Amino acid sequence: MTQTVPVTSAGIVDQSEVDQPAVDQPDAGQSDAGQSDADRGRITITTMVLLGAMTGLGPFSMSVHLPGLPRMADDLATSQSSVQLTMTACVVGIAVGQVVAGPLSDAYGRRRPLLVAMALYCATSAVCAAAWTVPMLAGLRFAQGMFAAFGMTIARAVIRDVADGQRLVRLFARMALVSGLTPIIAPNLGSALLVVTDWRGIFVVLAALGALFAALSVGSLRETLPPARRTRLRPASTARTYAALATDGAFLAPSLVVGLAYGAMFSYVSSSSFVLSDAYGVSQTVFGVLFAANAVGFMAGGQLGAALAGRRGTIRALRITLPAAAAAAAGITLAALAGSGPAVVGTLFLTVASIGACMPIASAEAMRTRPDSSGTASGLLGLTQFALGGLIGPIVGAFGSTSALPLGIGMCLCLLAAFALCLRPAAPRPTPSPAA
């Protein structure tokens, strides 16, 4: 038997009209490790915090050393632009690593690849502290980004293993509570560390962080993908899975929504300090306070978005939060035209909070489409997110920092494009009905 499920033209399922189980139920019984399905479905507070921290590990690794870039350039006897390539290498590593991590976790389970990756992240970070040339450091930063990406990809896959429907949205929103702290903690911690150590010491701290995550994973992270649900790791099969995902509107549309929303967010992260300083005379101290406030808004928005999705359904929630975010971004544009710094600050907060409401919902929509290969889906989702963010952010920044106008227009266009992806209804498609 089949049941008819309404979808948008882009293939996004409206979960408000579909009865979903709270937890995916694998084959009944015990796994080889003697772990019951009920145990696999539980997510403790400790595990939730760990998974949230894992999703923020890549961006944290990328940005915590930013305050030390000038000293790094002096020590390595090179230019600032050359040293910035090490950050680019880390970003590329994060993007590539997610594509690699997904199929590996589908083939070998979530726990083993994560533990190995955290051990390698720890080792790579330690070697970064001893690097003596920019090419060497760039290569190590690429590897560091790859191993950090395993945590990001597998964290999403773990949540998908144990949850579906509204519970999936709620858990993604809770992860955002932790990962949303990254923009607050990373640059401030980097500056604080430079008081007592140099840039090499920052990488030692990252190595210690990797060791801590590995230890916590051993103690609190249970395997959520039993052997019966794993897939063989074959290059041809993996390529076919990625091709199927890339052409499946039910996955691609919400993934693009995530990527476009992240592109708007990355534009803000990469440009706001220059814009607020150059155009409106905001000091570094005041900017730090504003940046922290916006991060709190992003986290709060995620919880409000999850609650809205519970009441209205995921697609209706996106159709509310995305236009709200676009309208707030348009407000940035109007405030910039009016030359009002306080209005720019206020509308920036509303925009970031609204983006925070959109992203967990769209992420859950993308992840729910392929429960049989959720690790691979998580990897492609992460690649889409970072690829669009890395592309859109520099384009917006290239238009200058003498006004918030380019930032407002860029964010508004991204969010309107994301809204268009879940706007029009289309013909229904059949899906297998759940087992009786």
Side-chain angles (χ1 to χ4, degrees):
M1 293 179 62
T2 61
Q3 70 181 69
T4 299
V5 179
V7 296
T8 68
S9 58
I12 306 179
V13 177
D14 189 343
Q15 294 202 58
S16 65
E17 301 180 40
V18 183
D19 292 329
Q20 298 283 352
V23 179
D24 288 342
Q25 297 296 332
D27 296 335
Q30 303 278 335
S31 71
D32 291 347
Q35 186 181 23
S36 69
D37 296 336
D39 286 340
R40 263 194 303 275
R42 295 192 186 103
I43 294 290
T44 66
I45 293 176
T46 301
T47 303
M48 199 73 245
V49 171
L50 175 62
L51 294 175
M54 289 284 190
T55 61
L57 182 59
F60 185 87
S61 304
M62 184 174 61
S63 58
V64 70
H65 81 298
L66 289 178
L69 286 181
R71 296 187 194 180
M72 188 187 297
D74 293 340
D75 287 351
L76 298 178
T78 189
S79 64
Q80 288 279 354
S81 58
S82 295
V83 166
Q84 286 173 342
L85 289 176
T86 65
M87 183 176 177
T88 302
C90 186
V91 175
V92 174
I94 291 171
V96 172
Q98 294 189 78
V99 179
V100 174
L104 284 175
S105 72
D106 283 338
Y108 299 108
R110 313 305 183 199
R111 202 165 180 269
R112 266 193 300 170
L114 181 62
L115 292 175
V116 172
M118 288 300 99
L120 292 173
Y121 175 89
C122 175
T124 305
S125 299
V127 179
C128 281
W132 58 86
T133 66
V134 169
M136 178 184 181
L137 184 59
L140 290 167
R141 289 284 280 164
F142 174 83
Q144 184 191 44
M146 277 194 66
F147 299 133
F150 272 68
M152 303 169 68
T153 303
I154 293 175
R156 288 190 295 262
V158 166
I159 295 299
R160 180 62 185 95
D161 288 340
V162 303
D164 197 4
Q166 176 54 24
R167 185 174 182 237
L168 184 62
V169 179
R170 286 200 310 271
L171 291 181
F172 269 113
R174 288 173 185 171
M175 279 204 304
L177 277 174
V178 182
S179 61
L181 292 172
T182 299
I184 304 175
I185 296 174
N188 292 317
L189 177 61
S191 298
L193 288 171
L194 289 175
V195 176
V196 296
T197 185
D198 59 7
W199 63 271
R200 297 182 187 274
I202 294 177
F203 286 110
V204 173
V205 171
L206 289 176
L209 184 63
L212 175 63
F213 281 176
L216 291 174
S217 298
V218 169
S220 64
L221 185 63
R222 305 179 182 190
E223 179 57 66
T224 58
L225 187 68
R229 291 173 55 193
R230 296 175 192 175
T231 59
R232 287 190 177 185
L233 186 63
R234 294 175 177 173
S237 177
T238 299
R240 284 195 296 270
T241 302
Y242 273 126
L245 284 167
T247 55
D248 181 2
F251 171 83
L252 185 61
S255 296
L256 290 174
V257 169
V258 172
L260 289 164
Y262 187 74
M265 186 69 180
F266 195 74
S267 299
Y268 154 74
V269 170
S270 60
S271 301
S272 59
S273 62
F274 300 104
V275 169
L276 294 180
S277 173
D278 296 347
Y280 305 105
V282 173
S283 68
Q284 284 296 104
T285 301
V286 173
F287 174 75
V289 173
L290 295 176
F291 201 75
N294 287 342
V296 172
F298 180 86
M299 293 185 287
Q303 310 317 301
L304 292 174
L308 182 62
R311 294 185 177 185
R312 299 293 187 90
T314 51
I315 297 306
R316 290 188 181 94
L318 285 173
R319 289 173 179 170
I320 293 171
T321 55
L322 284 168
I332 299 172
T333 304
L334 295 175
L337 289 172
S340 174
V344 167
V345 169
T347 48
L348 265 175
F349 175 85
L350 293 175
T351 306
V352 171
S354 299
I355 292 172
C358 305
M359 289 189 65
I361 305 172
S363 297
E365 272 295 321
M367 286 298 298
R368 66 171 295 278
T369 58
R370 293 296 295 264
D372 56 325
S373 53
S374 55
T376 305
S378 178
L380 189 55
L381 172 62
L383 175 64
T384 303
Q385 176 179 333
F386 273 80
L388 284 177
L391 175 66
I392 293 169
I395 291 175
V396 172
F399 285 92
S401 60
T402 57
S403 168
L405 190 60
L407 178 60
I409 292 174
M411 295 179 79
C412 186
L413 290 176
C414 286
L415 295 164
L416 286 174
F419 176 53
L421 287 169
C422 50
L423 189 60
R424 292 185 301 132
R429 63 181 172 90
T431 60
S433 59

